[in-house]
Amino acid sequence: MQRLTSGIANRPRGGPLLRASRPKKLARWSEAGRDFFFIIGFVMLIGAFTLQIAGVDPRVTRQFSEGSLVSQMIMGFIYLISILLFSQTSQALATLVRSWPIFLFPMLALMSALWAPEPELTVRRSIALFGTSLFGLALGSTYTFRDSLKVAVRALVLALILSMLWVVVFPQIGIHQASDAVEPIHAGKWRGVFAHKNALGAVAGFAFGVVLLYGGSVFSSTLHRLAAITVTAACLIFAGSGTGFATAINVAIIGSSMRLVTAARFDLRLPLLLVFASTAGLLSFFANNLEAIALEALGKDPDLTGRTLYWSYVLPFMSDHWVLGYGYFSGFLSIGATIAAITGLDFGSTHNGYLDILVSFGLIGFIAGTLYLGWLLFRGTGLILSSRGGVEKTFPICVVFHTIQFNIVESGFLAGNSLWPLLMALAATMLVRFDVLGQGGPRVTD
């Protein structure tokens, strides 16, 4: 030991031993930088800080078609780094080829610029949808199955911690105000670093559910796990979003059911899964009564705050556009103005993911969506029924089932730079990478 110390002391500065240690330090810094990028990128791509970056004053009315150059530059940087990081992963080409359904909606969105009323706006929003999917692909390809889940959940919790901080430090932005130009009725509700209480509520609800389900895999400390539950619950409660509460309950029930399936004996998994599916199908016969009870419990209007009325006006506009729709994003805005003049309801979307697909891409989009969801369900169910993986393997199928239900009352499938397309792309990539490399990929540090 003394000889080794003496040898080190007598070495010239910058000798072989120091040069050998530099790659290790650089590797650690590289991993830390990569982890930082994916966590911050995730926070940005689920809709956090959109008001702050764009310099939007909530008291001033803003058009849905307006963009922010600063926001576009930041998002473009995230998309570019995502592509570069993905290109450095092992089996990148094989992953890209096998993950092809991820890009069905982005490709349709870009192609729809050919018939959209405002092609430039459609292309701009299509890039956002492409970039969101690419980020999910890069995240799921860079880390192992379990570590991808860790990064996603930690990013969600970080967004909620920042939301609580914004409520305390910048209450005029972090809390809805009576002076807001849009929906001042929500005054007093939290929106945190998001643009609306429903956005905060949806993120908080999903985070609450996954922390309950996978907190033991994500946080090594019980104290950290309890703190995460506290933060997510606080944001969920003070956002006061019915969608958020429904999301939390939905994720918890779906995840718990899937974990019961994976905990069962191998020969009982398929029968148990069929029992859960049959139960869900049976309950669907009482959907109207259950919906009325749920809406009353959540303090929601029977017409879902004007949604059902709005849907009845949207469908007649499809009479001459059933095949290709009106084009992505700008297509809906073109008919939304007419509907607003008739009903007084001025929504930025149909508040129904399936109707969004129909308006944007027509029946072609509906077929593509069915193919994407069917592909995800097939792969996710296959993993659930297999003997591979731990409790984390229920995460992708949990994402898929919840996204299917969430899009009944909200627009999620086609919302670029938002949680749902990102989660679906991540879930798809996790499933593909599990097949391609098993648990392959570098690990994130705790």
Side-chain angles (χ1 to χ4, degrees):
M1 186 68 177
Q2 290 178 346
R3 186 178 301 169
L4 178 60
T5 304
S6 175
I8 294 174
N10 292 330
R11 285 185 188 273
R13 299 183 70 178
L17 187 61
L18 283 177
R19 284 200 298 270
S21 66
R22 283 173 185 165
K24 294 182 179 180
K25 290 182 179 179
L26 288 174
R28 284 197 295 269
W29 278 104
S30 177
E31 289 183 9
R34 180 201 62 200
D35 298 343
F36 178 82
F37 166 77
F38 277 113
I39 289 177
I40 298 302
F42 196 107
V43 170
M44 300 297 293
L45 287 179
I46 61 174
F49 296 107
T50 52
L51 296 180
Q52 292 84 350
I53 294 173
V56 173
D57 185 344
R59 297 169 297 180
V60 178
T61 303
R62 187 168 181 256
Q63 297 298 318
F64 292 115
S65 59
E66 289 183 25
S68 163
L69 180 59
V70 175
S71 178
Q72 291 167 15
M73 291 174 64
I74 292 174
M75 295 305 171
F77 174 78
I78 293 174
Y79 304 155
L80 179 60
I81 298 301
S82 299
I83 294 172
L84 293 175
L85 289 175
F86 172 70
S87 67
Q88 300 300 312
T89 60
S90 59
Q91 297 293 322
L93 182 59
T95 302
L96 185 63
V97 171
R98 295 194 185 191
S99 302
W100 62 269
I102 292 175
F103 299 103
L104 282 173
F105 284 150
M107 284 298 296
L108 278 174
L110 193 59
M111 291 170 58
S112 71
L114 296 173
W115 62 85
E118 296 184 49
E120 183 181 351
L121 177 59
T122 294
V123 169
R124 176 156 55 87
R125 301 297 294 216
S126 299
I127 292 172
L129 188 57
F130 251 114
T132 304
S133 301
L134 283 169
F135 183 87
L137 178 70
L139 173 57
S141 300
T142 300
Y143 298 100
T144 65
F145 196 99
R146 181 176 183 178
D147 289 340
S148 295
L149 175 62
K150 280 186 179 182
V151 171
V153 175
R154 289 175 181 180
L156 288 169
V157 173
L158 175 61
L160 298 176
I161 292 173
L162 292 172
S163 290
M164 293 186 69
L165 179 64
W166 234 253
V167 166
V168 174
V169 180
F170 307 108
Q172 70 279 9
I173 300 295
I175 302 175
H176 279 281
Q177 305 293 321
S179 58
D180 286 354
V182 179
E183 297 182 311
I185 192 175
H186 297 316
K189 303 292 186 182
W190 286 14
R191 62 183 163 210
V193 296
F194 296 89
H196 196 277
K197 74 177 187 71
N198 285 348
L200 174 62
V203 170
F206 185 80
F208 182 80
V210 294
V211 170
L212 285 180
L213 291 168
Y214 311 108
S217 301
V218 175
F219 302 103
S220 56
S221 165
T222 303
L223 182 61
H224 291 166
R225 192 156 62 248
L226 291 175
I229 292 174
T230 302
V231 169
T232 56
C235 288
L236 179 61
I237 292 169
F238 289 106
S241 168
T243 299
F245 285 107
T247 296
I249 295 170
N250 200 11
V251 171
I253 291 175
I254 294 171
S256 299
S257 300
M258 293 303 101
R259 290 186 67 169
L260 284 175
V261 172
T262 59
R265 282 203 332 259
F266 183 75
D267 59 325
L268 295 178
R269 289 179 186 177
L270 181 57
L272 190 57
L273 186 61
L274 292 175
V275 167
F276 285 132
S278 300
T279 302
L282 181 63
L283 290 175
S284 67
F285 287 104
F286 307 97
N288 291 335
N289 293 332
L290 293 173
E291 180 184 17
I293 294 172
L295 290 173
E296 183 178 356
L298 295 171
K300 285 283 188 180
D301 298 328
D303 67 345
L304 292 170
T305 322
R307 285 175 173 84
T308 55
L309 173 64
Y310 199 80
W311 297 338
S312 69
Y313 279 93
V314 171
L315 286 175
F317 278 87
M318 296 302 301
S319 58
D320 299 325
H321 295 79
W322 283 110
V323 179
L324 294 177
Y326 284 85
Y328 179 57
F329 197 78
S330 67
F332 170 76
L333 294 184
S334 68
I335 66 173
T338 305
I339 297 175
I342 298 172
T343 65
L345 297 172
D346 190 11
F347 292 162
S349 70
T350 64
H351 281 280
N352 181 295
Y354 304 95
L355 203 52
D356 268 355
I357 294 171
L358 196 61
V359 171
S360 298
F361 314 128
L363 293 176
I364 297 297
F366 222 76
I367 293 170
T370 302
L371 182 62
Y372 186 17
L373 291 173
W375 179 83
L376 281 168
L377 286 171
F378 178 77
R379 281 190 168 272
T381 303
L383 182 58
I384 288 289
L385 297 177
S386 73
S387 57
R388 299 179 298 164
V391 295
E392 302 86 9
K393 71 179 182 179
T394 61
F395 176 73
I397 198 70
C398 185
V399 166
V400 178
F401 278 138
H402 173 64
T403 304
I404 289 172
Q405 296 181 0
F406 176 85
N407 277 272
I408 295 174
V409 294
E410 293 291 350
S411 297
F413 289 130
L414 304 180
N417 296 336
S418 69
L419 179 61
W420 310 110
L422 175 52
L423 283 176
M424 288 182 68
L426 175 60
T429 308
M430 290 169 72
L431 290 169
V432 168
R433 295 288 287 187
F434 199 89
D435 284 341
V436 172
L437 294 177
Q439 293 286 353
R443 295 187 176 277
V444 63
T445 54
D446 290 316

